[in-house]
Amino acid sequence: MNTAGHSEATAPRGLELTPFRGLRYDPDRVGSLAAVTSPPYDVVVRPDGVHHLQDADPHNIVRLILPQAGTVGARTEQAADTLRRWLSEGVLTADPEPALYVYEQRHSDGMLQRGLIGTLRVSDPAEGIVLPHEDVMPHVVADRAALMRATSANLEPLLLTYHGNGSAAEVVERTARRPPLLATLTEDGYHHRLWSVTDPDDLSRVQSDLAHHQALIADGHHRWATYRRLRAEHASPSPWDLGLVLLVDTSRYPLRVRAIHRLLHGLPVADALAAIRDHFRVRSLGLPLPGALEALADAACEGNAFLLAGDGAFHLVDRPDPDLLARTVPTDRPAAWRTLDATVLHATLLDHVWRIPEDDPARIAYIHDTAATVRKAERHGSTAVLMHPVREAVVRDLARQGVTMPRKSTSFGPKPASGLVLRALDI
């Protein structure tokens, strides 16, 4: 028996992170690196944030990741034309040799995150290498796929986490002691630095270490689903077999987990509350936003709880009727899933009580910024549903069981700034 061959055939296949020629802004061709960056496309509050970023610099990355036009075709054509123009003008240039990139984010509040940006082999959930923890919305995947096809580019890395503390982490730390390729301070208070890793020995150490690990999608489920769709559209091997990611070792750099809030278009707060008073306890709080969020956190320790806003006040909604939950929450999932706030919100409130489809952008929006969600609800006479964040351990445990959470259940951060390094598939 050929034991060596048998061992090779059955060896687990882990993360495969490879170097690429990063596409980066020429600092001499833009106002500043900070002025051309953006939060990830799904974090930008639209349209206010888009306009703000566009005004910051004519070359801001938001013109690629969120092009503004009336149709999908017009938007993607606009992004592709813009990218071609910036490449021809030298606004964006490719680095001379393939590299992995060490990326650092540091904040004055003590937050420090470092990770590796590279191209990762795209895999299916059944392989157990990259673990999703949320469902995706088909129309968002279709939108991102159209954009990537038109530009033939990965315009922003998604965020993955793993637990390692091995030789890859050592390469990251050693690299971060060198002078960086770039450094900038963005208006959210984060200092960003980027280094390239091109030494063959360092690249080998990283790849050998990561081959023994699996990763959790922390942010970017729709982009990962898009990578998988585009890989399926092209015969392998092709550049679409790989996708741009930031991989963070959370054994060294734990992420913060925040909630993603819901904005219910066309549903006044009075109507939302009237529909649930018989099924939940409702209390109006005479508190400003920070105090209301503290009350939500306290209530969330006891069970499912939400804050409703949009009429100038905050209303704490908790203690759901157990009979209602028994009728509306699916029973074919683990208890940790059935008791999630997002599960109760979607299965009970959105589906059963308010009758709002979770994937209809005309009826519901998902917003990361708490104050912005409240402002938009008040401005348009809608209802903001503010959520309490889920613990990372719960997310990872469910992902390892193959159980996906309701859409937009979590917001891991800090998220990588878009615009510091891109990937063009034909370079």
Side-chain angles (χ1 to χ4, degrees):
M1 180 177 179
N2 186 340
T3 56
H6 177 75
S7 174
E8 181 179 346
T10 58
R13 197 175 183 184
L15 299 168
E16 297 178 38
L17 193 70
T18 55
F20 69 106
R21 290 181 64 196
L23 201 61
R24 297 190 293 115
Y25 281 99
D26 181 344
D28 295 329
R29 302 299 299 271
V30 297
S32 73
L33 289 176
V36 295
T37 64
S38 165
Y41 79 97
D42 58 336
V43 180
V44 177
V45 178
R46 295 171 244 190
D48 311 18
V50 173
H51 295 156
H52 171 72
L53 291 164
Q54 287 179 336
D55 292 342
D57 190 284
H59 300 108
N60 189 284
I61 191 69
V62 78
R63 296 179 185 275
L64 297 182
I65 63 174
L66 286 175
Q68 299 299 291
T71 66
V72 171
R75 289 195 295 271
T76 57
E77 183 180 353
Q78 181 185 110
D81 289 344
T82 299
L83 180 57
R84 281 192 293 268
R85 186 173 72 254
W86 289 357
L87 287 169
S88 67
E89 294 173 350
V91 173
L92 287 168
T93 60
D95 283 336
E97 59 182 320
L100 296 178
Y101 296 86
V102 172
Y103 174 48
E104 176 188 279
Q105 293 162 279
R106 185 188 297 269
H107 198 276
S108 58
D109 65 5
M111 183 71 193
L112 173 63
Q113 178 173 288
R114 289 180 182 142
L116 283 164
I117 295 176
T119 52
L120 188 72
R121 184 182 72 85
V122 177
S123 58
D124 293 322
E127 296 180 64
I129 297 170
V130 175
L131 305 176
H133 69 266
E134 289 184 1
D135 292 330
V136 297
M137 291 175 271
H139 75 276
V140 178
V141 175
D143 177 78
R144 291 296 100 183
L147 183 63
M148 290 188 204
R149 284 192 207 98
T151 58
S152 191
N154 298 153
L155 300 171
E156 45 185 348
L158 54 85
L159 176 61
L160 304 180
T161 71
Y162 78 106
H163 281 283
N165 205 21
S167 56
E170 293 169 2
V171 171
V172 168
E173 299 307 305
R174 188 170 64 253
T175 302
R177 291 195 288 268
R178 303 196 324 245
L181 290 174
L182 65 84
T184 190
L185 170 64
T186 48
E187 62 181 15
D188 58 2
Y190 275 95
H191 293 263
H192 306 262
R193 296 198 295 171
L194 191 77
W195 298 260
S196 64
V197 179
T198 57
D199 178 78
D201 289 339
D202 282 343
L203 294 174
S204 178
R205 290 186 188 97
V206 169
Q207 291 165 338
S208 297
D209 184 12
L210 295 181
H212 302 286
H213 294 287
Q214 63 180 186
L216 175 73
I217 301 176
D219 184 70
H221 284 82
H222 290 91
R223 280 166 284 169
W224 185 254
T226 302
Y227 291 167
R228 291 178 54 224
R229 172 182 290 193
L230 294 173
R231 179 196 59 173
E233 293 176 359
H234 296 80
S236 185
S238 84
W240 299 101
D241 293 341
L242 306 171
L244 186 64
V245 305
L246 166 63
L247 190 59
V248 174
D249 183 350
T250 51
S251 66
R252 294 210 177 193
Y253 300 106
L255 272 64
R256 291 174 175 171
V257 187
R258 292 189 169 94
I260 302 175
H261 310 297
R262 277 66 170 161
L263 178 64
L264 310 182
H265 301 301
L267 178 65
V269 174
D271 293 350
L273 292 174
I276 63 175
R277 286 191 184 277
D278 292 339
H279 308 294
F280 288 77
R281 182 174 69 169
V282 177
R283 290 174 288 164
S284 295
L285 308 176
L287 296 169
L289 179 57
L293 290 174
E294 288 182 11
L296 173 63
D298 291 341
C301 292
E302 305 298 326
N304 300 119
F306 314 92
L307 269 183
L308 269 58
D311 61 352
F314 295 101
H315 310 275
L316 183 61
V317 175
D318 64 355
R319 296 189 183 179
D321 176 5
D323 291 337
L324 176 65
L325 297 184
R327 294 197 309 271
T328 57
V329 175
T331 58
D332 60 345
R333 306 284 181 90
W337 181 90
R338 297 197 305 270
T339 55
L340 289 169
D341 288 338
T343 297
V344 172
L345 173 63
H346 284 257
T348 303
L349 287 172
L350 292 177
D351 292 352
H352 182 79
V353 178
W354 293 326
R355 308 283 184 177
I356 295 176
E358 63 182 14
D359 56 358
D360 183 356
R363 302 289 306 280
I364 185 170
Y366 299 84
I367 304 178
H368 294 71
D369 185 279
T370 309
T373 311
V374 175
R375 286 196 304 270
K376 291 176 80 71
E378 292 178 345
R379 186 185 310 160
H380 300 292
S382 301
T383 295
V385 181
L386 306 184
M387 310 283 288
H388 185 67
V390 183
R391 290 183 298 111
E392 181 183 0
V394 173
V395 177
R396 192 175 293 275
D397 183 56
L398 287 172
R400 283 176 172 155
Q401 296 179 60
V403 178
T404 54
M405 299 169 67
R407 297 161 180 170
K408 299 294 184 181
S409 294
T410 59
S411 176
F412 285 87
K415 305 178 190 303
S418 299
L420 295 180
V421 60
L422 296 66
R423 176 198 179 212
L425 273 70
D426 52 3
I427 293 179

